[in-house]
Coordinates of all heavy atoms in Angstrom, one line a residue:
M1 N 0.8 -1.2 0.0 CA 0.0 0.0 0.0 C 0.9 1.3 0.0 O 1.8 1.4 0.8 CB -0.9 0.0 1.2 CG -1.9 1.1 1.2 SD -3.1 1.0 2.6 CE -4.0 -0.4 2.2
I2 N 0.6 2.1 -0.9 CA 1.4 3.4 -1.0 C 0.7 4.5 -0.4 O -0.5 4.8 -0.9 CB 1.8 3.7 -2.5 CG1 2.6 2.6 -3.1 CG2 2.5 5.0 -2.6 CD1 2.8 2.7 -4.6
M3 N 1.2 5.1 0.6 CA 0.4 6.2 1.3 C 1.2 7.6 1.2 O 0.7 8.5 1.7 CB 0.2 5.9 2.7 CG -0.7 4.7 2.9 SD -2.4 4.9 2.3 CE -3.0 6.2 3.5
T4 N 2.4 7.5 0.7 CA 3.2 8.7 0.7 C 2.9 9.7 -0.4 O 2.8 10.9 -0.1 CB 4.7 8.4 0.6 OG1 4.9 7.5 -0.5 CG2 5.2 7.7 1.9
V5 N 2.7 9.2 -1.6 CA 2.4 10.1 -2.7 C 0.9 10.3 -2.8 O 0.1 9.4 -3.0 CB 2.9 9.5 -4.0 CG1 2.6 10.5 -5.2 CG2 4.4 9.3 -4.0
K6 N 0.5 11.6 -2.6 CA -1.0 11.9 -2.6 C -1.4 12.4 -4.0 O -1.6 13.5 -4.3 CB -1.3 12.9 -1.6 CG -1.5 12.2 -0.2 CD -2.6 11.2 -0.2 CE -2.6 10.4 1.0 NZ -3.5 9.2 0.9
E7 N -1.5 11.4 -4.9 CA -2.0 11.7 -6.2 C -3.6 11.9 -6.1 O -4.2 11.4 -5.2 CB -1.7 10.6 -7.2 CG -0.2 10.4 -7.4 CD 0.1 9.1 -8.2 OE1 0.0 9.2 -9.4 OE2 0.3 8.1 -7.6
K8 N -4.1 12.5 -7.2 CA -5.6 12.6 -7.1 C -6.3 11.5 -7.9 O -5.7 11.0 -8.9 CB -6.0 14.0 -7.7 CG -5.7 14.3 -9.1 CD -6.2 15.7 -9.4 CE -6.0 16.0 -10.9 NZ -4.6 16.2 -11.3
V9 N -7.5 11.2 -7.4 CA -8.2 10.0 -7.9 C -9.6 10.5 -8.3 O -10.2 11.3 -7.6 CB -8.3 8.9 -6.8 CG1 -9.2 7.8 -7.2 CG2 -6.9 8.4 -6.5
C10 N -10.1 10.0 -9.4 CA -11.5 10.3 -9.8 C -12.5 9.7 -8.8 O -12.4 8.5 -8.6 CB -11.7 9.8 -11.2 SG -13.4 10.1 -11.8
R11 N -13.4 10.5 -8.4 CA -14.4 10.0 -7.4 C -15.3 9.0 -8.0 O -15.9 8.2 -7.4 CB -15.2 11.2 -6.8 CG -14.4 12.0 -5.7 CD -15.4 12.7 -4.9 NE -14.8 13.2 -3.6 CZ -14.5 14.4 -3.4 NH1 -14.7 15.4 -4.2 NH2 -14.0 14.8 -2.2
N12 N -15.6 9.2 -9.3 CA -16.5 8.3 -10.0 C -15.9 6.9 -10.4 O -16.5 5.9 -10.1 CB -17.0 8.9 -11.3 CG -17.8 10.2 -11.0 OD1 -18.6 10.3 -10.1 ND2 -17.5 11.3 -11.8
C13 N -14.7 7.0 -10.9 CA -14.1 5.8 -11.5 C -13.0 5.2 -10.5 O -12.6 4.1 -10.8 CB -13.4 6.1 -12.8 SG -14.4 7.1 -13.9
R14 N -12.5 6.0 -9.6 CA -11.3 5.6 -8.7 C -10.1 5.5 -9.5 O -9.1 4.9 -9.1 CB -11.6 4.3 -8.0 CG -12.6 4.5 -6.9 CD -12.9 3.2 -6.2 NE -13.7 2.3 -7.0 CZ -14.2 1.2 -6.6 NH1 -13.9 0.7 -5.4 NH2 -14.9 0.4 -7.4
L15 N -10.0 6.1 -10.7 CA -8.8 6.1 -11.6 C -7.9 7.2 -11.2 O -8.3 8.3 -10.8 CB -9.2 6.3 -13.0 CG -8.1 6.3 -14.1 CD1 -7.5 4.9 -14.3 CD2 -8.5 7.0 -15.4
F16 N -6.5 7.0 -11.2 CA -5.6 8.0 -10.9 C -5.5 8.9 -12.2 O -5.2 8.3 -13.3 CB -4.2 7.4 -10.5 CG -4.2 6.8 -9.2 CD1 -4.6 5.5 -8.9 CD2 -3.7 7.6 -8.1 CE1 -4.6 5.0 -7.6 CE2 -3.7 7.1 -6.8 CZ -4.1 5.8 -6.6
V17 N -5.6 10.1 -12.0 CA -5.6 11.1 -13.1 C -4.5 12.1 -13.0 O -4.3 12.7 -11.9 CB -7.0 11.8 -13.2 CG1 -7.0 12.8 -14.3 CG2 -8.1 10.8 -13.3
Q18 N -3.8 12.3 -14.1 CA -2.7 13.3 -14.1 C -3.2 14.7 -14.5 O -2.7 15.7 -13.9 CB -1.6 12.8 -15.0 CG -1.0 11.5 -14.7 CD -0.2 11.4 -13.5 OE1 0.4 12.4 -13.1 NE2 -0.3 10.3 -12.8
G19 N -4.1 14.7 -15.4 CA -4.6 16.0 -15.9 C -5.7 16.6 -15.1 O -5.9 16.2 -14.0
S20 N -6.5 17.4 -15.7 CA -7.6 18.1 -15.0 C -8.9 17.5 -15.3 O -9.9 17.8 -14.6 CB -7.6 19.6 -15.5 OG -7.8 19.7 -16.8
V21 N -9.0 16.5 -16.2 CA -10.2 15.8 -16.5 C -10.0 14.3 -16.5 O -9.0 13.9 -17.1 CB -10.8 16.3 -17.9 CG1 -12.1 15.5 -18.2 CG2 -11.1 17.8 -17.9
C22 N -10.9 13.6 -16.0 CA -10.8 12.1 -16.0 C -11.0 11.6 -17.4 O -12.0 12.0 -18.0 CB -11.8 11.6 -15.0 SG -11.9 9.7 -15.2
P23 N -10.1 10.8 -17.9 CA -10.2 10.3 -19.3 C -11.4 9.3 -19.5 O -11.8 9.1 -20.6 CB -8.9 9.7 -19.6 CG -8.3 9.3 -18.2 CD -8.9 10.4 -17.3
I24 N -11.9 8.8 -18.4 CA -13.0 7.8 -18.5 C -14.3 8.5 -18.5 O -15.1 8.3 -19.4 CB -12.9 6.7 -17.4 CG1 -11.5 5.9 -17.5 CG2 -14.1 5.8 -17.5 CD1 -11.4 4.9 -16.5
C25 N -14.6 9.3 -17.4 CA -15.9 9.8 -17.3 C -16.0 11.3 -17.7 O -17.1 11.9 -17.6 CB -16.4 9.7 -15.8 SG -15.5 10.6 -14.6
K26 N -14.8 11.9 -18.0 CA -14.8 13.3 -18.5 C -15.2 14.3 -17.5 O -15.7 15.4 -17.8 CB -15.6 13.5 -19.8 CG -15.4 12.4 -20.9 CD -14.0 12.4 -21.4 CE -13.8 11.4 -22.5 NZ -12.4 11.2 -22.9
Q27 N -15.1 14.0 -16.2 CA -15.5 14.9 -15.1 C -14.2 15.3 -14.4 O -13.1 14.7 -14.5 CB -16.5 14.2 -14.2 CG -17.8 14.0 -15.0 CD -19.0 13.7 -14.1 OE1 -19.0 14.1 -12.9 NE2 -19.9 12.9 -14.6
S28 N -14.4 16.2 -13.5 CA -13.3 16.7 -12.7 C -13.6 16.6 -11.2 O -13.3 17.5 -10.4 CB -13.0 18.2 -13.0 OG -12.7 18.3 -14.4
Q29 N -14.2 15.5 -10.8 CA -14.5 15.3 -9.4 C -13.3 14.4 -8.8 O -13.4 13.2 -8.8 CB -15.8 14.5 -9.3 CG -17.0 15.3 -9.9 CD -17.4 16.4 -9.0 OE1 -17.6 16.3 -7.8 NE2 -17.6 17.6 -9.6
F30 N -12.4 15.1 -8.2 CA -11.2 14.4 -7.7 C -11.1 14.4 -6.2 O -11.7 15.2 -5.6 CB -9.9 15.0 -8.3 CG -9.9 15.0 -9.8 CD1 -9.7 16.2 -10.5 CD2 -9.9 13.8 -10.5 CE1 -9.7 16.1 -11.9 CE2 -9.8 13.7 -11.9 CZ -9.7 14.9 -12.6
S31 N -10.4 13.4 -5.7 CA -10.2 13.3 -4.3 C -8.8 12.9 -4.0 O -8.2 12.2 -4.8 CB -11.2 12.2 -3.7 OG -10.8 12.0 -2.3
R32 N -8.2 13.5 -3.0 CA -6.8 13.0 -2.6 C -6.9 12.1 -1.3 O -5.9 11.8 -0.7 CB -5.9 14.2 -2.3 CG -5.6 14.9 -3.6 CD -4.7 16.2 -3.4 NE -4.7 17.0 -4.6 CZ -3.8 16.8 -5.6 NH1 -2.9 15.8 -5.5 NH2 -3.8 17.6 -6.7
S33 N -8.2 11.8 -0.9 CA -8.3 10.9 0.2 C -8.7 9.5 -0.3 O -9.8 9.2 -0.5 CB -9.5 11.4 1.1 OG -9.2 12.7 1.7
W34 N -7.6 8.7 -0.5 CA -7.8 7.4 -1.0 C -6.9 6.4 -0.3 O -5.9 6.8 0.3 CB -7.5 7.4 -2.5 CG -6.2 7.9 -2.9 CD1 -5.9 9.2 -3.3 CD2 -4.9 7.2 -2.9 NE1 -4.6 9.3 -3.6 CE2 -3.9 8.1 -3.4 CE3 -4.6 5.9 -2.7 CZ2 -2.6 7.8 -3.5 CZ3 -3.2 5.5 -2.8 CH2 -2.3 6.5 -3.2
K35 N -7.2 5.1 -0.4 CA -6.4 4.1 0.2 C -6.3 2.9 -0.7 O -7.2 2.6 -1.5 CB -7.0 3.6 1.5 CG -6.9 4.6 2.7 CD -7.6 4.1 3.9 CE -7.5 5.1 5.0 NZ -8.4 4.8 6.1
G36 N -5.1 2.3 -0.7 CA -4.9 1.1 -1.5 C -4.6 1.5 -3.0 O -5.0 2.7 -3.4
L37 N -4.1 0.6 -3.7 CA -3.7 0.9 -5.1 C -3.7 -0.4 -5.9 O -3.2 -1.4 -5.4 CB -2.3 1.6 -5.2 CG -1.9 2.3 -6.4 CD1 -0.8 3.3 -6.1 CD2 -1.4 1.3 -7.5
V38 N -4.4 -0.4 -7.0 CA -4.4 -1.6 -7.8 C -4.3 -1.2 -9.3 O -4.8 -0.2 -9.7 CB -5.8 -2.4 -7.6 CG1 -7.0 -1.5 -8.0 CG2 -5.7 -3.7 -8.4
V39 N -3.4 -2.0 -10.0 CA -3.2 -1.7 -11.4 C -3.9 -2.8 -12.2 O -3.6 -4.0 -12.0 CB -1.7 -1.7 -11.7 CG1 -1.4 -1.6 -13.2 CG2 -1.0 -0.6 -11.0
I40 N -4.8 -2.4 -13.1 CA -5.5 -3.3 -13.9 C -4.9 -3.3 -15.3 O -5.0 -2.2 -16.0 CB -7.0 -3.0 -14.0 CG1 -7.6 -2.9 -12.5 CG2 -7.8 -3.9 -14.8 CD1 -7.6 -4.2 -11.8
N41 N -4.3 -4.4 -15.8 CA -3.8 -4.4 -17.1 C -4.8 -5.0 -18.1 O -4.9 -4.6 -19.2 CB -2.5 -5.2 -17.1 CG -1.4 -4.6 -16.4 OD1 -1.1 -3.4 -16.6 ND2 -0.7 -5.3 -15.5
D42 N -5.5 -6.1 -17.7 CA -6.5 -6.8 -18.5 C -7.8 -7.0 -17.8 O -7.9 -8.0 -17.1 CB -5.8 -8.1 -18.9 CG -6.7 -8.8 -20.0 OD1 -7.8 -8.3 -20.3 OD2 -6.3 -9.8 -20.5
P43 N -8.7 -6.0 -17.8 CA -9.9 -6.1 -17.1 C -10.7 -7.4 -17.3 O -11.4 -7.8 -16.4 CB -10.7 -4.8 -17.5 CG -9.7 -3.9 -18.1 CD -8.6 -4.8 -18.7
N44 N -10.6 -7.9 -18.5 CA -11.4 -9.1 -18.8 C -10.9 -10.3 -18.1 O -11.7 -11.3 -18.0 CB -11.4 -9.3 -20.3 CG -12.2 -8.2 -21.1 OD1 -13.2 -7.7 -20.6 ND2 -11.6 -7.8 -22.2
N45 N -9.7 -10.3 -17.8 CA -9.1 -11.5 -17.1 C -8.6 -11.2 -15.7 O -7.7 -11.8 -15.2 CB -7.9 -12.0 -17.9 CG -8.4 -12.7 -19.2 OD1 -9.2 -13.6 -19.2 ND2 -7.9 -12.1 -20.3
S46 N -9.2 -10.2 -15.1 CA -8.8 -9.8 -13.7 C -10.0 -10.0 -12.8 O -11.1 -9.4 -13.0 CB -8.3 -8.4 -13.7 OG -8.2 -7.9 -12.4
E47 N -9.8 -10.8 -11.7 CA -10.9 -11.0 -10.7 C -11.1 -9.7 -10.0 O -12.3 -9.3 -9.6 CB -10.5 -12.1 -9.8 CG -10.6 -13.5 -10.4 CD -12.0 -13.8 -10.9 OE1 -12.9 -13.5 -10.2 OE2 -12.1 -14.4 -12.0
I48 N -10.1 -8.9 -9.7 CA -10.2 -7.7 -9.0 C -11.0 -6.7 -9.8 O -11.9 -6.0 -9.3 CB -8.8 -7.1 -8.7 CG1 -8.0 -8.0 -7.8 CG2 -8.9 -5.7 -8.0 CD1 -6.6 -7.6 -7.5
A49 N -10.7 -6.6 -11.1 CA -11.5 -5.7 -12.0 C -12.9 -6.1 -12.0 O -13.8 -5.2 -12.0 CB -10.9 -5.8 -13.4
K50 N -13.3 -7.4 -12.0 CA -14.7 -7.8 -12.0 C -15.4 -7.4 -10.7 O -16.5 -6.9 -10.7 CB -14.8 -9.3 -12.2 CG -14.5 -9.7 -13.6 CD -14.4 -11.2 -13.7 CE -13.9 -11.7 -15.1 NZ -13.6 -13.1 -15.2
V51 N -14.7 -7.6 -9.6 CA -15.2 -7.2 -8.3 C -15.5 -5.8 -8.2 O -16.5 -5.3 -7.6 CB -14.3 -7.8 -7.1 CG1 -14.7 -7.2 -5.8 CG2 -14.3 -9.3 -7.1
M52 N -14.5 -5.0 -8.7 CA -14.5 -3.5 -8.6 C -15.4 -2.9 -9.7 O -15.7 -1.7 -9.6 CB -13.1 -2.9 -8.6 CG -12.3 -3.3 -7.3 SD -10.6 -2.6 -7.4 CE -10.9 -0.8 -7.3
G53 N -15.8 -3.7 -10.7 CA -16.6 -3.2 -11.8 C -15.8 -2.4 -12.7 O -16.3 -1.4 -13.3
L54 N -14.5 -2.6 -12.9 CA -13.6 -1.9 -13.8 C -13.6 -2.5 -15.2 O -13.4 -3.7 -15.3 CB -12.2 -1.8 -13.2 CG -12.1 -1.3 -11.8 CD1 -10.7 -1.4 -11.2 CD2 -12.6 0.1 -11.6
T55 N -13.7 -1.7 -16.2 CA -13.6 -2.2 -17.6 C -12.5 -1.5 -18.4 O -12.3 -1.9 -19.5 CB -15.0 -1.9 -18.3 OG1 -15.2 -0.5 -18.2 CG2 -16.1 -2.6 -17.6
V56 N -11.8 -0.6 -17.8 CA -10.8 0.2 -18.5 C -9.4 -0.1 -17.8 O -9.3 0.1 -16.6 CB -11.0 1.7 -18.6 CG1 -9.9 2.4 -19.3 CG2 -12.4 1.9 -19.3
P57 N -8.4 -0.5 -18.5 CA -7.1 -0.7 -17.9 C -6.6 0.6 -17.3 O -6.8 1.7 -17.9 CB -6.2 -1.2 -19.1 CG -7.1 -1.7 -20.1 CD -8.4 -0.9 -20.0
G58 N -5.9 0.5 -16.2 CA -5.3 1.7 -15.6 C -5.0 1.4 -14.1 O -5.0 0.3 -13.6
K59 N -4.5 2.5 -13.4 CA -4.2 2.4 -12.0 C -5.4 3.0 -11.2 O -5.8 4.1 -11.4 CB -2.9 3.2 -11.8 CG -2.3 3.1 -10.4 CD -0.9 3.7 -10.3 CE -1.0 5.2 -10.2 NZ 0.3 5.8 -9.8
Y60 N -5.8 2.2 -10.3 CA -7.0 2.6 -9.5 C -6.7 2.6 -8.0 O -5.9 1.8 -7.5 CB -8.2 1.6 -9.8 CG -8.7 1.7 -11.2 CD1 -8.1 0.9 -12.2 CD2 -9.7 2.5 -11.5 CE1 -8.5 0.9 -13.5 CE2 -10.2 2.6 -12.9 CZ -9.6 1.8 -13.8 OH -10.1 1.8 -15.1
A61 N -7.5 3.4 -7.3 CA -7.5 3.3 -5.8 C -8.6 2.3 -5.4 O -9.6 2.2 -6.0 CB -7.8 4.7 -5.2
M62 N -8.2 1.5 -4.3 CA -9.2 0.6 -3.8 C -10.4 1.3 -3.1 O -11.5 0.8 -3.1 CB -8.5 -0.3 -2.8 CG -7.4 -1.2 -3.4 SD -8.0 -2.5 -4.4 CE -8.7 -3.6 -3.3
W63 N -10.1 2.4 -2.5 CA -11.1 3.1 -1.7 C -10.9 4.6 -1.9 O -9.7 5.1 -1.8 CB -10.9 2.7 -0.2 CG -11.8 3.4 0.7 CD1 -13.1 3.0 1.1 CD2 -11.6 4.7 1.4 NE1 -13.6 3.9 2.0 CE2 -12.7 5.0 2.2 CE3 -10.6 5.6 1.4 CZ2 -12.9 6.1 2.9 CZ3 -10.7 6.7 2.2 CH2 -11.8 7.0 3.0
V64 N -11.9 5.3 -2.1 CA -11.9 6.8 -2.3 C -12.9 7.4 -1.4 O -14.1 7.0 -1.5 CB -12.1 7.2 -3.8 CG1 -12.1 8.7 -3.9 CG2 -11.0 6.6 -4.7
K65 N -12.6 8.5 -0.7 CA -13.5 9.1 0.2 C -14.4 10.1 -0.7 O -13.9 10.8 -1.5 CB -12.7 9.9 1.2 CG -13.6 10.6 2.3 CD -12.7 11.3 3.3 CE -13.6 12.0 4.3 NZ -12.7 12.7 5.3
Ligands
LIG101 ZN1 -13.7 9.3 -13.8

């Protein structure tokens, strides 16, 4: 679990976003209160992606406030 770097996470998708708009939902609802980190490379073959409801490859937070 990485807690030192406080990157921002989309509140809708839980995706880590570098720019000002989330590339998945096109919104700017970000949070820096998140815990856990999961990288999804192949959503179709990932149990975690299925459980979390993720369909787009990327880096996600497990929990977002
Ligand atoms: Zn989003």
Side-chain angles (χ1 to χ4, degrees):
M1 186 177 291
I2 299 171
M3 296 297 293
T4 50
V5 181
K6 280 297 169 190
E7 300 171 82
K8 63 180 186 289
V9 173
C10 175
R11 281 200 165 108
N12 297 317
C13 317
R14 287 179 288 186
L15 178 76
F16 285 84
V17 178
Q18 302 294 326
S20 57
V21 176
C22 172
I24 298 178
C25 67
K26 312 296 182 189
Q27 295 194 29
S28 303
Q29 300 286 313
F30 300 120
S31 171
R32 289 178 194 273
S33 298
W34 54 266
K35 286 177 183 166
L37 195 158
V38 60
V39 176
I40 304 296
N41 294 313
D42 187 354
N44 295 321
N45 290 304
S46 168
E47 288 300 318
I48 298 173
K50 287 174 188 169
V51 169
M52 292 176 69
L54 306 174
T55 57
V56 180
K59 188 170 76 169
Y60 295 86
M62 297 288 289
W63 178 90
V64 178
K65 187 177 178 182

